[in-house]
Amino acid sequence: MKIKIGSKISANDFREGTIEDIKIATSKNDVAGELGVDVKEYDTELGYVGSVSYKTDEGKLYWCYFHQISGVEND
């Protein structure tokens, strides 16, 4: 699935929000990509590991790994 900053996602099948940040890991010891590369969009079919941070409609900030994204709505 393709994700990009501004995409609305469902994470872990129960929380929804808008992607604010996408990070791709560049080291096997940094699976969340905290020390990796910031990107504006990413196709999860490429198979890299990393994470997104997202904000709910209530303004709460969360993050999840790519594999925890259960749905995406792109403009």
Side-chain angles (χ1 to χ4, degrees):
M1 90 184 83
K2 292 183 181 178
I3 58 174
K4 60 184 176 180
I5 292 177
S7 295
K8 292 209 177 250
I9 61 165
S10 298
N12 298 314
D13 293 321
F14 69 91
R15 188 177 289 135
E16 296 181 347
T18 303
I19 294 178
E20 304 244 314
D21 189 45
I22 304 170
K23 296 186 174 285
I24 296 175
T26 57
S27 167
K28 67 180 180 179
N29 296 324
D30 178 31
V31 294
E34 293 174 291
L35 303 174
V37 179
D38 290 324
V39 297
K40 294 183 187 287
E41 59 183 52
Y42 172 65
D43 188 338
T44 60
E45 290 184 27
L46 293 172
Y48 294 107
V49 295
S51 63
V52 299
S53 59
Y54 61 98
K55 187 184 284 189
T56 65
D57 288 341
E58 295 78 32
K60 293 186 178 181
L61 244 131
Y62 295 95
W63 71 274
C64 69
Y65 296 109
F66 294 152
H67 71 274
Q68 294 175 306
I69 299 172
S70 51
V72 64
E73 184 180 314
N74 287 308
D75 294 333

